[in-house]
Amino acid sequence: MKEPIIEFKDFTFQYFSQAEPTLHHIDLTIYKGEKVLIVGPSGSGKSTLGHCINGLIPFSYRGEITGSVTVGGLDTKEAGIFALSRKVGTVLQDSDGQFVGLSVGEDIAFSLENDCVPQAEMKKTVREVADLMDMGQLLKSSPYELSGGQKQRVAFAGVMVNQVETLLFDEPLANLDPATGKVAIDLIDRIAREYHKTVVIIEHRLEDVLYRRVDRVIVMSDGRVAADMTPDELMAAGILPRLGIREPLYVTALKYAGIPITPELHAGRLETLELDAVREPLLRWHQSRQPRKSAPEKPPILTVKDLNFQYDRKRKILKDVSFAIREGEMVSIVGTNGAGKSTLAKVICGFVKESSGDIFFREESLRGSTIKERSLRIGYVMQNPNQMICKSMIYDEVAMGLRNRGVDEDTVREKVEKALKICGLAPFKKWPVSALSFGQKKRVTIASILVMEPQILILDEPTAGQDYLHYTEIMEFLKSLNDQGVTILMITHDMHLMLEYTPHAIVISDGRKIGDSTAVDILTNPEIAARASLKLTSLYELASMAGIPEPGTFVQNFIDYEREVVRREG
Amino acid sequence: MKDKIFDYVERDNWVFKLSGLTKLLCFLILSASVMFTYDIRSILLIMVLSFTVLRLSGITFSQIKVMLWAVVIFLGMNFVLTYLFNPTYGVEIYGTCHELFRFSSRYTVTQEQLLYQISKFAKYASVIPLGMLFLLTTNPSEFAASLNGVRVSYKAAFALALTLRYFPDTIRNYNDIAVAQQSRGLDLSKKEKLGTRIKNVMNICIPLIFSTLDRVDVVSNAMDLRGFGKHKKRTWYAATPMGRNDYICIGVCAAILAAVLIVTAFVNHGRFWNPFI
């Protein structure tokens, strides 16, 4: 008999600050030893559901509760967060923010310290758990010396020391590059199996989590449980796109090829897919597609030549990087965390000065030109809009750049209105920034750069932390800007984004350019993918597994088909 | 990019191994001694001691370069201003007047003034290496643990360690925001008027505050979830018990303080050593 470990019974929750309940009548049971994935678009209540399991609700976030949640036999209303932290270990999304210690060892020991465990015993436990996570060599390292993946392992170790029976992961993939994310999913899977833990993963990147076995997927929508079934059944149900969640790309490809998805197809994971049933129709679809003709090439607008950069004598961040971006292109710059992508953008914008090499805007060298001068041509949008917004009113925020330049107020008004209109913010002209959602704030920051009419726009992780709906919204918006002639460079981790939107991709690894080609070429090149910690797209894997010759062309066909047929219909 | 000023780099030697509390106590005792006395012999003795320990600790010049320059400039200005404001203060203190030469009728240079100013200079110059030693050789977590060891509330002690943990993040964040705002035409250079510059810095601080508040939320959740504040006490991973060396160091410093006090009371009969009588 299965033993329930987390039980929601007719549970409704409303934050005091909100007018409507965030969760409505949730009935949900998670059993001991299960591995459950909770997916849902932003605002669906999936994070709130997580907060109810680990006790942050009602401990830190107050609100009105009806019904009950029990975790390991404790009612969360009465148990308190400390008692619950013995049952559920939570790994938060922001692996840097939750690193509270000054070294790996200290951070892992944090909850033991709070439990008054004697030092000798504490050091022993920390060592054991650190070894388990392959972090034993790094006990004395400070958070600044660690990569995102390593920080996440530290957070993971920090909850494992408590011998909790349930592990809760809140968007574990959000800050990781694709390959590191894959390793993280593997690690979670291994720990769950070896130590018989119950695992709950909250994530909107469905396909990446389903890379390893998951027992059940719970789909949240508008604060309710919209589906609760096995991955195989979920794929067959075909409800994901309607709920604003991206289904795995290989499943979409099967659908394009006219293959009906049934639970018997085992489409929950690519590895379990019944290949024999899909091979023929896939091949037929593939052969029916005509390759699209490529557009004529325009002259380069930004040329980087033998660029080197270093902060100090010890470590070179950029090594002999050269590339050319053509006018009107949409380009992604990809690579691992710390590979030098952001530094490259900073050098181009003049925030830091290159050690050697040259950057050209059309034919003119940018050497010696200041941040201000470059900003007339190149706009830079930071990842986190909160890092950019400094005015309380939307209009003022967007107008700031022009006003700083001393542009007269009539021209300012005209240009701001135009920028707001392009960004779909015209109705909010007189609103305060605080009333906007995250995605809308992102648009405000883009508008505040666009208003200065740069010919090149550089965006750092434009879709980080966005669900499929907002992702599509932002990217379609950028695409429309691109269609209007703005050259766009994006620093990104998102392989789907690169494949779907940027025909041209540049790969940076350890400060060097190791790839510069079409996105499809890059994402179907196992060697580059391995070196730059990229992940081959599942489309490529599907094509290879199904024995389609030239799997790269298959991927290109998929992208073209999606652009031409599906988006147009939508 | 790390912020070099507050960078704690661990080294394996006895200075680093001392408890943070010992270092704080020694710093306070020696500073008190040196601030109390104007006897240049005692001051020089402590100065030699503090530079020796700085050397022994293995702190490299590059680590303290920035701080050192700031201190030298400050002390130089202090030296000049002291003289400009009161060129005869030495004469008042020591009660004699041995003139060496004069710039003008008001600005004379006397041996007394020189002794007074050099003593004062040496006072600062001997405290500063001690301060640097304390800052650069103390592991903040270990220090928090020792503070808690002497009955400081562990929440307060931990807050201190946490501040140091996130300080470099905040600096980096500030720099990122600053360059992004400069590209929108905010001028922080000296070309701009001071008033505008201050206003422009404010424009960077607002996003900084908002993104820091986001951070605070995450950190406090992470701490709650891992049981911070559960009990009245907590243990410390980084705590080091007081050892023999700690007691020796505190003993030596206490002895120096006692010696200074004895010299003041029985030899100099006052805070000043007067070689002019």
Side-chain angles (χ1 to χ4, degrees):
Chain A
M1 182 60 205
K2 289 193 288 185
E3 182 191 335
I5 199 150
I6 298 169
E7 270 187 299
F8 285 78
K9 282 200 181 122
D10 194 28
F11 181 83
T12 300
F13 178 77
Q14 181 176 350
Y15 289 101
F16 282 144
S17 55
Q18 310 238 311
E20 290 269 310
T22 304
L23 296 176
H24 302 266
H25 306 287
I26 304 283
D27 277 299
L28 180 67
T29 310
I30 292 169
Y31 298 96
K32 194 169 176 168
E34 255 193 322
K35 192 170 165 203
V36 174
L37 166 63
I38 301 177
V39 291
S42 338
S44 63
K46 64 181 191 306
S47 299
T48 306
L49 200 67
H51 291 335
C52 294
I53 295 172
N54 63 27
L56 280 177
I57 290 174
F59 183 81
S60 296
Y61 301 106
R62 308 268 156 184
E64 201 186 308
I65 294 172
T66 57
S68 72
V69 186
T70 46
V71 175
L74 298 173
D75 188 316
T76 58
K77 252 181 295 184
E78 281 114 47
I81 194 164
F82 298 139
L84 282 169
S85 73
R86 316 265 348 173
K87 302 271 177 194
V88 186
T90 312
V91 178
L92 297 172
Q93 176 183 344
D94 180 350
S95 58
D96 188 54
Q98 70 185 309
F99 201 120
V100 292
L102 280 149
S103 69
V104 169
E106 269 173 56
D107 192 68
I108 296 177
F110 187 72
S111 67
L112 299 176
E113 293 178 325
N114 295 329
D115 268 333
C116 299
V117 174
Q119 200 188 34
E121 191 188 327
M122 178 150 69
K123 293 213 160 169
K124 191 168 152 277
T125 316
V126 167
R127 176 146 285 285
E128 284 167 8
V129 176
D131 283 338
L132 181 71
M133 299 289 161
D134 283 336
M135 292 294 292
Q137 303 299 316
L138 297 167
L139 278 183
K140 286 193 165 178
S141 303
S142 81
Y144 304 104
E145 294 158 2
L146 303 180
S147 69
Q150 287 171 326
K151 279 181 206 162
Q152 193 182 55
R153 277 165 188 249
V154 173
F156 197 168
V159 301
M160 284 297 286
V161 293
N162 271 346
Q163 315 266 324
V164 289
E165 51 195 7
T166 305
L167 296 169
L168 175 68
F169 294 87
D170 190 358
E171 309 221 6
L173 299 174
N175 296 312
L176 301 182
D177 58 57
T180 313
K182 211 169 151 180
V183 174
I185 293 295
D186 257 333
L187 182 69
I188 294 172
D189 190 58
R190 198 188 87 207
I191 300 290
R193 269 186 292 114
E194 284 174 19
Y195 294 85
H196 309 289
K197 305 282 185 196
T198 310
V199 173
V200 179
I201 302 173
I202 299 171
E203 182 58 71
H204 61 88
R205 283 160 65 175
L206 180 70
E207 177 174 343
D208 294 332
V209 180
L210 291 183
Y211 156 69
R212 283 282 172 257
R213 181 195 59 90
V214 166
D215 295 309
R216 254 193 312 153
V217 183
I218 290 156
V219 185
M220 295 293 295
S221 174
D222 290 330
R224 293 169 210 274
V225 176
D228 178 356
M229 48 181 86
T230 67
D232 291 345
E233 290 164 353
L234 183 67
M235 297 310 150
I239 53 171
L240 291 172
R242 186 163 47 82
L243 296 173
I245 302 160
R246 162 160 245 166
E247 60 188 4
L249 284 178
Y250 62 88
V251 174
T252 314
L254 295 177
K255 285 187 180 167
Y256 289 170
I259 301 165
I261 315 279
T262 58
E264 290 70 36
L265 209 55
H266 297 299
R269 263 169 73 198
L270 188 55
E271 274 180 40
T272 57
L273 184 69
E274 296 291 338
L275 278 172
D276 294 332
V278 301
R279 192 169 284 130
E280 277 304 308
L282 267 185
L283 197 60
R284 237 179 294 131
W285 177 80
H286 175 60
Q287 282 159 351
S288 73
R289 301 289 309 160
Q290 299 294 326
R292 202 166 49 157
K293 286 184 201 81
S294 54
E297 290 194 331
K298 288 194 172 164
I301 189 165
L302 185 77
T303 314
V304 170
K305 261 201 185 128
D306 304 321
L307 198 68
N308 282 286
F309 177 78
Q310 52 199 90
Y311 282 113
D312 48 36
R313 249 165 290 163
K314 268 177 260 159
R315 209 177 130 237
K316 278 192 159 189
I317 313 276
L318 295 175
K319 301 166 196 161
D320 300 321
V321 175
S322 301
F323 59 82
I325 308 280
R326 293 178 185 282
E327 208 177 317
E329 271 198 304
M330 195 141 157
V331 181
S332 34
I333 300 178
V334 293
T336 44
N337 287 334
K341 307 182 301 266
S342 300
T343 310
L344 178 62
K346 284 181 184 168
V347 177
I348 293 174
C349 296
F351 298 167
V352 290
K353 198 180 168 307
E354 67 276 359
S355 312
S356 69
D358 213 342
I359 301 165
F360 297 89
F361 180 80
R362 298 192 201 280
E363 250 112 73
E364 170 199 347
S365 167
L366 290 179
R367 188 180 285 155
S369 61
T370 62
I371 297 182
K372 216 170 162 177
E373 287 157 5
R374 293 188 198 201
S375 70
L376 295 171
R377 290 137 169 196
I378 307 169
Y380 177 68
V381 181
M382 296 174 86
Q383 178 178 343
N384 179 355
N386 288 340
Q387 285 186 319
M388 292 186 74
I389 295 176
C390 50
K391 300 284 181 198
S392 53
M393 302 303 289
I394 293 173
Y395 183 89
D396 295 334
E397 178 63 31
V398 178
M400 191 179 105
L402 292 175
R403 286 179 178 160
N404 282 334
R405 285 199 187 143
V407 176
D408 68 276
E409 206 53 34
D410 285 339
T411 321
V412 169
R413 191 178 322 115
E414 186 191 317
K415 290 193 171 177
V416 169
E417 280 177 6
K418 194 174 147 215
L420 286 173
K421 200 165 160 230
I422 294 174
C423 298
L425 291 166
F428 307 116
K429 197 174 102 185
K430 292 186 177 147
W431 284 35
V433 174
S434 54
L436 299 182
S437 72
F438 186 86
Q440 287 168 326
K441 279 187 190 169
K442 185 102 199 171
R443 285 177 177 222
V444 170
T445 60
I446 296 174
S448 70
I449 297 300
L450 271 183
V451 79
M452 298 190 283
E453 297 168 347
Q455 279 121 309
I456 304 175
L457 198 59
I458 303 181
L459 299 112
D460 195 352
E461 294 282 0
T463 57
Q466 303 287 301
D467 64 25
Y468 185 47
L469 199 72
H470 293 101
Y471 157 90
T472 314
E473 210 178 281
I474 291 176
M475 289 313 300
E476 287 297 321
F477 163 62
L478 289 175
K479 181 93 184 65
S480 71
L481 279 183
N482 182 243
D483 292 341
Q484 291 169 50
V486 183
T487 306
I488 295 180
L489 247 79
M490 276 176 292
I491 298 170
T492 184
H493 274 155
D494 192 328
M495 301 293 106
H496 299 329
L497 182 158
M498 171 176 159
L499 209 52
E500 265 191 282
Y501 289 96
T502 61
H504 179 185
I506 292 170
V507 189
I508 306 279
S509 168
D510 194 24
R512 287 185 196 285
K513 188 182 84 171
I514 62 165
D516 186 350
S517 182
T518 68
V520 172
D521 267 354
I522 300 243
L523 281 185
T524 52
N525 182 329
E527 196 216 340
I528 290 181
R531 274 175 70 193
S533 275
L534 307 177
K535 195 164 93 40
L536 290 180
T537 160
S538 62
L539 294 170
Y540 181 79
E541 288 172 34
L542 174 68
S544 312
M545 285 162 72
I548 292 176
E550 302 164 348
T553 322
F554 178 81
V555 178
Q556 187 64 57
N557 283 341
F558 176 88
I559 304 295
D560 292 347
Y561 181 81
E562 186 149 85
R563 272 258 145 246
E564 286 163 27
V565 184
V566 182
R567 287 280 145 103
R568 197 155 299 161
E569 283 168 4
Chain B
M1 231 187 334
K2 285 192 193 175
D3 186 67
K4 294 287 182 211
I5 302 178
F6 289 92
D7 209 7
Y8 170 74
V9 186
E10 193 162 295
R11 281 195 182 73
D12 197 17
N13 64 43
W14 66 273
V15 181
F16 277 84
K17 287 206 176 109
L18 289 176
S19 146
L21 187 65
T22 308
K23 279 178 255 188
L24 179 67
L25 276 177
C26 290
F27 170 64
L28 290 178
I29 295 173
L30 289 182
S31 306
S33 321
V34 97
M35 282 300 142
F36 182 70
T37 182
Y38 271 88
D39 184 336
I40 195 160
R41 297 166 301 178
S42 319
I43 296 172
L44 285 179
L45 190 77
I46 295 174
M47 189 153 102
V48 170
L49 181 77
S50 60
F51 274 103
T52 316
V53 179
L54 188 67
R55 174 104 208 129
L56 288 176
S57 71
I59 289 174
T60 56
F61 180 68
S62 64
Q63 265 180 294
I64 54 174
K65 199 167 67 185
V66 181
M67 263 196 275
L68 214 57
W69 274 115
V71 166
V72 166
I73 290 166
F74 169 75
L75 285 184
M77 273 168 53
N78 186 282
F79 193 85
V80 173
L81 288 176
T82 312
Y83 181 74
L84 288 180
F85 282 112
N86 203 342
T88 56
Y89 194 54
V91 175
E92 285 168 37
I93 294 166
Y94 296 105
T96 51
C97 180
H98 297 76
E99 190 179 307
L100 294 170
F101 59 89
R102 57 170 64 214
F103 296 110
S104 69
S105 60
R106 177 170 152 80
Y107 290 108
T108 72
V109 176
T110 60
Q111 287 181 11
E112 286 80 0
Q113 183 70 11
L114 270 184
L115 179 68
Y116 164 70
Q117 285 202 223
I118 290 172
S119 308
K120 197 168 151 191
F121 185 90
K123 266 150 121 42
Y124 291 121
S126 53
V127 174
I128 280 146
L130 292 172
M132 289 181 186
L133 259 178
F134 174 66
L135 274 180
L136 292 173
T137 67
T138 304
N139 177 336
S141 316
E142 193 271 331
F143 180 57
S146 7
L147 277 183
N148 184 222
V150 290
R151 303 271 160 77
V152 174
S153 135
Y154 77 79
K155 289 187 181 172
F158 194 81
L160 183 89
L162 208 58
T163 310
L164 289 168
R165 155 73 181 86
Y166 290 104
F167 189 76
D169 281 8
T170 312
I171 297 272
R172 193 177 348 193
N173 206 351
Y174 177 88
N175 287 336
D176 282 350
I177 294 170
V179 285
Q181 300 294 29
Q182 280 174 50
S183 73
R184 291 167 71 190
L186 271 193
D187 200 341
L188 299 173
S189 68
K190 294 194 181 84
K191 281 185 227 158
E192 201 64 70
K193 271 179 286 173
L194 187 67
T196 325
R197 256 162 77 196
I198 292 173
K199 223 174 76 193
N200 288 351
V201 169
M202 281 305 296
N203 275 335
I204 294 171
C205 287
I206 290 164
L208 182 68
I209 291 168
F210 278 103
S211 47
T212 307
L213 284 180
D214 287 353
R215 207 65 191 293
V216 169
D217 209 31
V218 173
V219 175
S220 72
N221 276 349
M223 289 172 61
D224 284 344
L225 284 173
R226 289 161 75 189
F228 187 77
K230 189 194 286 188
H231 301 296
K232 288 214 170 67
K233 286 193 302 188
R234 88 196 284 270
T235 48
W236 300 79
Y237 180 79
T240 39
M242 299 277 273
R244 195 172 53 108
N245 282 349
D246 291 288
Y247 293 114
I248 294 175
C249 285
I250 296 173
V252 168
C253 292
I256 291 174
L257 178 63
V260 165
L261 290 177
I262 289 168
V263 169
T264 306
F266 300 108
V267 182
N268 294 342
H269 303 290
R271 289 173 66 195
F272 293 89
W273 167 59
N274 193 339
F276 300 108
I277 304 170

